[in-house]
Amino acid sequence: MSLLDEVLAIDNLSTACASVLRSVLKNASKRYAKDALFVKAKKVRKVDQTKSLLDLMNAEIKSAMGELRKIILRDGYKRSPLFIHAEPKKDGGKRILMIHSKLNEKIFEKAVYQIVSKKLQELLDNGISYCGIPKSSVSNKKLGIYATHSDICSILQTNKFWILKADIEKFFDKLDRERVILLLEKHLLDSSLKSFFLDWVNIQVQNSQHYTPTNLGIPQGSCLSGLIANLYLSEFDEMQRKKKDKNTFCFRYADDLLFACTSEADRDEIEKEINQYLLSIGLQTKASKLEKCAPGERFGVLGYNYNDLLLSVSEGKISKWINNLGMDFRAIGRIENYKKKTGKYTKKQLEGLLKTQKNLFRKLRAYSSIVVPLKQIPDNINKRVAHEQAFIRMNQYLIKAVAGINRIRGKKIIRMVEFRNKKGEVIWPYLYPEIVGIRTYLSLLD
């Protein structure tokens, strides 16, 4: 059976379809608002939020995927021009994300990912790269960010290390497309998907004001982007893996590189080696982000600061979390201003409040689990500071935001309650903002 046959298997397409529908519903995407499958999924999800979409829409999904399979077999894969979204970066630049125009194209790409990631799993799960790596089992699938910090902490407690931090400049934009295709041919040993990948790397866009046509780079925003980027650096990863026996450790999270060496000379030698290798494949490190630290000196990586065996959350990460929470509180403020002026809510506004309540719950649950992955960090690493610093600042913000909303209305419409999961266990260590009576209001309108 060829790779294309595996991709076009109805079960694989159906799983990909359910995954994509779940994602676009979660992100409230309006781009596919007129697609029949999306419309159906939206209606079904409103009625039942407990079962999977594949269970709720099994017949519809399999029928639609059967039609998609026929089209691909008859006409081949022809991707429509992508929509460009320019996302601001910290350094003032823009990250160019590419979004599919048609839902079926996004589904087929996901179906390709599901098969190709299995074929490349053994090659890419190499102990060097931590971002976007396919795992062989669900039980083995730790979030990359957790695994990275867990392993960094494990290494730091064993010795005194000289640290080298580097960032690959314009990583996704500089990948050589010809080399991408050659690597895929080498490791997949099947040409049935070659036409798909040739089309995939040949970027065509709708709105060209944010994109200049070039022969370099791969689409960002695709489920395949991380996989292909890791394949591009698989030889680099293998070079670094062999150095572990010499007490030189490398951690790569996409284009972020961290090296821990037992001597300053080894660190300087590593710097020369990586620069030479990256140049040989059309890449280079970013000079402004190169950082060298002696043993015991403070350094930051992936949102956390390391100061000897003390771990803390970076100010930038905490500020980002607070800003994300602020979007929900501003939405509540707008609705409450309207209620204060008119004396009533519209049904749409009440639904908006309920959605905002869910957003706050989801975000705080995510932040509380990612501040520091406690179970995975060695006991002798001081994690208390990381928790206290992040939680106290964010809790102060929550209290002020809640007080501001209540002041707008002149009464307590948000209260602070214990944040517990379904088992009754406290998740967030402080109190959690809950909109008073929101479900009662909605039931009165039904």
Side-chain angles (χ1 to χ4, degrees), residues 324-365:
N324 286 341
L325 292 171
M327 290 189 289
D328 293 306
F329 279 110
R330 287 191 289 275
I332 296 172
R334 287 192 294 270
I335 293 172
E336 291 305 324
N337 265 324
Y338 178 87
K339 174 70 163 59
K340 187 175 182 180
K341 291 175 183 176
T342 64
K344 63 180 181 180
Y345 295 112
T346 65
K347 184 172 182 178
K348 187 174 181 180
Q349 287 174 330
L350 285 171
E351 289 173 344
L353 284 177
L354 184 60
K355 181 180 176 181
T356 302
Q357 176 75 75
K358 289 177 180 176
N359 283 344
L360 285 171
F361 184 92
R362 177 177 56 80
K363 288 176 182 178
L364 287 175
R365 182 176 60 189

Side-chain angles (χ1 to χ4, degrees), residues 213-227:
T214 173
N215 293 324
L216 296 173
I218 63 172
Q220 289 193 63
S222 163
C223 60
L224 287 164
S225 302
L227 194 72

Side-chain angles (χ1 to χ4, degrees), residues 171-177 201 203 211 214-219:
F171 180 39
F172 289 92
D173 297 333
K174 295 288 186 180
L175 299 189
D176 185 311
R177 294 173 186 173
V201 297
I203 300 168
Y211 180 74
T214 173
N215 293 324
L216 296 173
I218 63 172

Side-chain angles (χ1 to χ4, degrees), residues 2 67 79 104 126 140 162 175 259 389 392:
S2 71
E67 288 302 312
R79 186 178 63 191
N104 267 351
N126 50 37
N140 198 26
W162 297 80
L175 299 189
F259 295 88
Q389 174 203 21
I392 289 174

Side-chain angles (χ1 to χ4, degrees), residues 227-377:
L227 194 72
I228 301 302
N230 282 318
L231 177 61
Y232 200 88
L233 288 179
S234 56
E235 292 176 3
F236 172 85
D237 291 345
E238 181 60 20
M239 288 166 52
Q240 306 314 315
R241 190 181 66 80
K242 290 177 180 177
K243 291 190 174 78
K244 279 190 174 182
D245 296 336
K246 299 177 182 178
N247 283 328
T248 295
F249 300 91
C250 173
F251 306 89
R252 183 175 67 79
Y253 195 87
D255 53 357
D256 288 305
L257 304 173
L258 179 75
F259 295 88
C261 308
T262 50
S263 73
E264 187 176 12
D266 285 346
R267 184 189 64 187
D268 293 341
E269 184 62 30
I270 284 286
E271 183 183 358
K272 291 177 185 176
E273 284 182 12
I274 64 169
N275 283 331
Q276 287 174 359
Y277 179 79
L278 290 176
L279 284 172
S280 74
I281 58 171
L283 301 172
Q284 63 183 34
T285 56
K286 194 171 185 177
S288 62
K289 288 199 172 182
L290 192 69
E291 186 179 340
K292 298 178 182 180
C293 301
E297 285 185 345
R298 179 177 178 272
F299 67 91
V301 60
L302 299 175
Y304 291 86
N305 296 322
Y306 290 81
N307 191 355
D308 202 4
L309 291 182
L310 189 67
L311 187 64
S312 61
V313 188
S314 71
E315 286 297 312
K317 183 180 276 287
I318 298 173
S319 297
K320 184 178 179 180
W321 288 344
I322 288 175
N323 185 57
N324 286 341
L325 292 171
M327 290 189 289
D328 293 306
F329 279 110
R330 287 191 289 275
I332 296 172
R334 287 192 294 270
I335 293 172
E336 291 305 324
N337 265 324
Y338 178 87
K339 174 70 163 59
K340 187 175 182 180
K341 291 175 183 176
T342 64
K344 63 180 181 180
Y345 295 112
T346 65
K347 184 172 182 178
K348 187 174 181 180
Q349 287 174 330
L350 285 171
E351 289 173 344
L353 284 177
L354 184 60
K355 181 180 176 181
T356 302
Q357 176 75 75
K358 289 177 180 176
N359 283 344
L360 285 171
F361 184 92
R362 177 177 56 80
K363 288 176 182 178
L364 287 175
R365 182 176 60 189
Y367 299 155
S368 66
S369 66
I370 206 171
V371 168
V372 178
L374 279 175
K375 293 178 181 177
Q376 297 172 25
I377 301 297

